[in-house]
Amino acid sequence: MTPKTPSIVLAGGGTAGHISPLLAIAAAVRSASPHAALLAVGTPSGMETRLVPAAGVELATIDRVPFPRRPSVDLVRLPGRLAGAVRQAGAILDKAQADVLVGVGGYVCTPMYLAARKRRIPIVIHEANARPGLANRVGAMLTKRVAVAFDGTPLPHAVHVGMPMRTGISSLDRSAARPAARAALGLDPDKPTLIVTGGSSGAQSINRTIGGAVGQLAAAGIQTLHITGRGKSVVDDAGKPITTDGYRQVEYVDGMELVYAAADVLLARSGAATVCEAAAVGVPAVLVPLPIGNGEQALNAAGLVAAGGALLVPDRDFNAGYVARELIPLVTDKERLATMAANSYRLGIRNADQRMAGLILEAVTA
């Protein structure tokens, strides 16, 4: 009898922080089991509607069911909405003849977990943040196959595997790739280089501080590439994008491996993917956690900061004084940067995608 082709359903979406590891896991599964059937499940309004098909993975969608944090009309409607989403999830799992459900978090995951549990389909979870989200806290009560990006993430049965990421990042040799990366980004090959990013959506407070400090940075001999986020150009008093010697701004860079290779220092928010990728490639970082939410970005950064691979500055303290006092001396200190890079690289995990593929394929045959 010919063995059944494994059918693997991967749930998650809404933000790049969920979609990127999902796609990295899918690629690793495809590499380990080329004949596996892969189906991703998201919501109709998330970034997954663009990113997942572009990666060559089929996408199905179910209704988005947010969990209200306080009493409201939405809270009254929650049971009915959740029941409807669970029915949709079940129909997707049945049609796919799913052998395993993989969840990475986000609104879509709770109904998918509940539908899979009802059908006794094995569940494998990956939690990206040091402080887990609600969906994965629910899912972790339904399975013993729980993987986490950060050691110490408080979920039952958690196994520390790291963050699944694209092989273009996990296999990056920064030194070898630096000349070509700087050329591709329009940067001087020899100047101390600061690259600033707030993620795909940008970070307005970081943008304001850097926009006001371009003169200080240039005077110190530092070139700055500022990735502002879509629609968030940094403008002068006349409303025109700032242009000056030693400073270049773009809204987006396609391929973060270029950024990691070109940068002497990365200045960024401390989303889970950014922290784990910075460690994996060994790029010194200054991390400015998002000041809203439940504090998970500061927790994400804690291990890398403690290891000496990054500095952390609260958003309220990231100002012109910090740039002059801390950032400029760091970018121009080659010896300190070499130590930070080595500390970061030692902490990095570069095979999380393969480890997740192994957990998933084991679940298929268990």
Side-chain angles (χ1 to χ4, degrees):
M1 180 181 294
T2 303
K4 177 182 180 289
T5 298
S7 174
I8 297 162
V9 175
L10 305 105
T15 66
H18 289 135
I19 301 163
S20 295
L22 182 151
L23 291 177
I25 292 168
V29 169
R30 185 169 279 162
S31 177
S33 180
H35 300 295
L38 299 177
L39 174 68
V41 183
T43 67
S45 58
M47 295 174 66
E48 59 268 27
T49 57
R50 176 173 55 89
L51 297 178
V52 170
V57 178
E58 184 183 355
L59 177 70
T61 61
I62 65 173
D63 293 339
R64 180 177 179 270
V65 184
F67 284 70
R69 304 290 180 180
R70 55 182 61 88
S72 65
V73 173
D74 283 339
L75 185 60
V76 174
R77 294 173 177 168
L78 176 61
R81 287 176 170 175
L82 181 58
V86 171
R87 285 193 295 272
Q88 292 175 326
I92 289 171
L93 293 171
D94 291 342
K95 183 177 179 181
Q97 297 183 333
D99 293 303
V100 62
L101 170 69
V102 182
V104 298
Y107 291 121
V108 70
C109 280
T110 300
M112 293 299 298
Y113 293 150
L114 294 174
R117 176 58 178 256
K118 183 177 180 180
R119 288 159 175 76
R120 298 185 179 180
I121 295 170
I123 299 169
V124 179
I125 291 174
H126 184 272
E127 173 55 51
N129 285 295
R131 177 171 285 161
L134 177 59
N136 279 350
R137 295 203 306 271
V138 172
M141 294 187 290
L142 307 177
T143 181
K144 293 183 179 180
R145 298 180 176 94
V146 180
V148 295
F150 295 101
D151 194 19
T153 299
L155 286 175
H157 314 296
V159 176
H160 181 213
V161 303
M163 176 71 78
M165 61 189 72
R166 291 188 299 106
T167 56
I169 293 173
S170 62
S171 64
L172 178 67
D173 180 334
R174 288 180 63 233
S175 295
R178 182 173 295 119
R182 289 193 176 178
L185 295 173
L187 297 169
D188 187 296
D190 300 316
K191 279 190 173 183
T193 301
L194 171 68
I195 300 187
V196 181
T197 176
S200 58
S201 59
Q204 292 283 34
S205 60
I206 292 177
N207 287 355
R208 282 193 299 270
T209 295
I210 293 299
V214 293
Q216 296 179 65
L217 291 160
I222 295 168
Q223 64 179 338
T224 303
L225 175 64
H226 189 176
I227 307 167
T228 63
R230 297 190 189 278
K232 295 185 178 177
S233 295
V234 180
V235 298
D236 58 21
D237 292 339
K240 295 182 179 179
I242 293 174
T243 57
T244 187
D245 289 344
Y247 174 81
R248 178 170 178 247
Q249 61 171 296
V250 295
E251 291 192 350
Y252 178 75
V253 170
D254 185 16
M256 283 298 291
E257 57 268 34
L258 291 174
V259 169
Y260 297 143
D264 289 309
V265 173
L266 176 74
L267 172 67
R269 292 295 193 204
S270 49
T274 298
V275 172
C276 293
E277 289 174 1
V281 303
V283 60
V286 175
L287 301 172
V288 188
L290 189 69
I292 59 175
N294 61 9
E296 73 271 10
Q297 287 210 350
L299 292 174
N300 292 344
L304 186 56
V305 172
L311 303 181
L312 184 143
V313 53
D315 188 83
R316 65 180 178 275
D317 296 335
F318 182 66
N319 50 34
Y322 183 90
V323 172
R325 185 177 64 254
E326 302 287 348
L327 185 59
I328 288 174
L330 175 65
V331 180
T332 54
D333 188 337
K334 290 186 178 180
E335 185 175 338
R336 187 181 179 193
L337 292 179
T339 299
M340 289 180 69
N343 292 340
S344 182
Y345 193 81
R346 277 195 296 270
L347 191 70
I349 297 175
R350 287 163 281 277
N351 66 344
D353 57 338
Q354 298 167 37
R355 295 182 69 181
M356 284 300 300
L359 290 173
I360 292 161
L361 293 171
E362 286 173 12
V364 171
T365 57

